Every structure is written in C-alpha cells, then in structure tokens.
Amino acid sequence: MSRVAIVTGGSGGIGRVVAERLAKDGQTVVVAYAGNAERAEDAVDAIIAAGGTASAFQADVADETQVEALFEDTEKRYGGIDVVVNTAGIMLLSPLADLDLADFDRMHRTNVRGTFVVDQQAVRRLRPGGALINFSTSVTHIAVPNYSAYAATKGAIDGMTLILAKEMRGRDVTVNAVAPGPTATPLYFIGKDQETVDRASKAAPLERLGQPDDIAEVVSFLAGPARWINGQVIYANGGVV
C-alpha cells in the first residue's frame, strides 16, 4: 500500500521539489497550497506526468478549520496519512531595529502558528510508522545579520519539534526538522545582490549554494527509511558553520 504524504507549501520552491521527490519514491502526495491554484495544479500535473499520484488542496496553514479540512479530505480520499512535511513559510528580512512589527507578525502567523496548527492535526492522525517533518533554518546556527525575526520564528519550530518527538512516545511516529542553509530558490534570491549570492556560494566547503533537490533528499530519507532518527534538527547546509 502506498504511503500518503501531505506537503504544505507544496506548490513552489523547496516544497514542490519535496512533493515531486516523495511521489518519485512511490508516495501518494497531497500538495497543500495557500492561494495559487494554478501553480498547485501544475505541480500535481508534473507528478502525474512522471507516473505518480497527487492532488491539490487549498488551506491557510494558520487557519485551524482549513487545516482540519485538509487532513479530513486526505483521509477520506486516500484512507489515511503517513507523512506530513511542513515547508510552508515566509521570510521577510531586516535589521531588528528597523523591522516593521507587522512583518514580524506575518512571519509568526505562518511560520510558528502555521507549523503548530499543522503539527496538531498531524499528531492526531498520523498512522503508525509515520513521519512528521518540520522546516527550520540553518540561520539559527550561523547567525546571519538581517535574519533575526525569521530565525526567531524558526527557533520556535526547533523547540516544538524536539518536544513533540517525546510527546509521541509509543506511537511509532518520528518527528524531525530539516534546517536548510542557503538554497537556490526564488525566495532566497529576493533582495540579494550578486555579491551577496557569490559570498554565500563560497560559505560551504563544497563551494556552492544548496539546491532544492539536496533538501528533498533529506526529507525523502526522513519520510521513509530513517526510522531511528527522531527528535532531531538536521542541518542540510553543505557544512556551513
């Protein structure tokens, strides 16, 4: 029987590549998206064209009613849920002193509340042998200026992940977080000049930016064979410190 995965933020960026990778692994994938139906359907079409099984569902991750509907629809359509991957998130950069608090509240709503709401449904519904994978950031570790508010939201996810893994005792469900470093997605390039990008490309010993496929590979491992990795934040950043 195929494992069933929900990928929030699955219509673009890292989320889409994660959705495609899990489908390639043989999982049935639900692409959860916030607002761009055309982009979500494009992701579903790409998965189906490659021989996979997928569908799309619109839900604001911070809205508990919409998220509950996402999980209920997935269970009715496919019979259960085995994997939940939380890639949905927003990143607004500024020095702490200059940050508009409305931007901080927007990030907190999507990144922290959104992850919490999705996790709450996930832990109530994941089948034995399941995996919950949150998304953090290596910025909590490497302390890049202008990322203070974003890192604060992701630090909350780290704490949530580690505690939730222990709260799932006896359920045979793993809970981990993936913390990408600089990764070549449209979100990453916003507001960065070429000099900044070049400098980031040299930060890792491998001397390149991460690619979405690099991150999807880690998610694939945690979502499938990695049954003895639990309660961890995995820094997928090519060795940036």
Side-chain angles (χ1 to χ4, degrees), residues 50-109:
T53 302
S55 60
F57 194 97
Q58 183 175 11
D60 173 359
V61 291
D63 185 311
E64 62 272 28
T65 302
Q66 293 183 28
V67 171
E68 184 177 14
L70 161 66
F71 277 77
E72 288 184 350
D73 183 80
T74 301
E75 287 182 327
K76 289 177 182 177
R77 186 185 299 255
Y78 299 116
I81 303 165
D82 303 285
V83 175
V84 175
V85 186
N86 266 313
T87 73
I90 59 175
M91 181 173 67
L92 304 170
L93 303 182
S94 167
L96 187 148
D98 302 326
L99 182 72
D100 187 329
L101 289 177
D103 287 344
F104 181 82
D105 290 342
R106 282 179 59 203
M107 281 192 288
H108 188 277
R109 183 179 187 279

Side-chain angles (χ1 to χ4, degrees), residues 18-27 29 47 50 52:
V18 165
E20 291 176 345
R21 174 58 187 264
L22 294 182
K24 184 179 178 181
D25 292 343
Q27 300 203 31
V29 177
I47 289 171

Side-chain angles (χ1 to χ4, degrees), residues 41-220:
E41 290 299 335
D42 184 62
V44 168
D45 290 345
I47 289 171
I48 293 172
T53 302
S55 60
F57 194 97
Q58 183 175 11
D60 173 359
V61 291
D63 185 311
E64 62 272 28
T65 302
Q66 293 183 28
V67 171
E68 184 177 14
L70 161 66
F71 277 77
E72 288 184 350
D73 183 80
T74 301
E75 287 182 327
K76 289 177 182 177
R77 186 185 299 255
Y78 299 116
I81 303 165
D82 303 285
V83 175
V84 175
V85 186
N86 266 313
T87 73
I90 59 175
M91 181 173 67
L92 304 170
L93 303 182
S94 167
L96 187 148
D98 302 326
L99 182 72
D100 187 329
L101 289 177
D103 287 344
F104 181 82
D105 290 342
R106 282 179 59 203
M107 281 192 288
H108 188 277
R109 183 179 187 279
T110 298
N111 298 356
V112 180
R113 179 184 169 88
T115 298
F116 192 96
V117 169
V118 172
D119 281 6
Q120 193 170 61
Q121 287 296 320
V123 299
R124 291 171 179 173
R125 298 172 185 265
L126 280 166
R127 294 188 284 206
L132 173 57
I133 302 161
N134 291 326
F135 260 67
S136 181
T137 176
S138 288
V139 173
T140 60
H141 211 51
I142 59 180
V144 180
N146 299 327
Y147 282 78
S148 57
Y150 178 71
T153 67
K154 294 299 188 174
I157 290 170
D158 289 355
M160 194 187 312
T161 298
L162 303 185
I163 293 169
L164 189 52
K166 294 187 176 181
E167 292 181 350
M168 294 299 284
R169 175 179 293 274
R171 290 277 305 279
D172 189 24
V173 171
T174 61
V175 184
N176 295 288
V178 177
T183 305
T185 66
L187 179 67
Y188 174 76
F189 289 113
I190 292 173
K192 293 182 175 67
D193 57 28
Q194 190 59 48
E195 181 182 356
T196 300
V197 172
D198 290 343
R199 186 167 58 249
S201 299
K202 296 294 185 181
L206 298 174
E207 294 194 338
R208 66 173 177 85
L209 291 176
Q211 296 297 317
D213 284 337
D214 296 320
I215 311 306
E217 183 175 46
V218 179
V219 174
S220 172

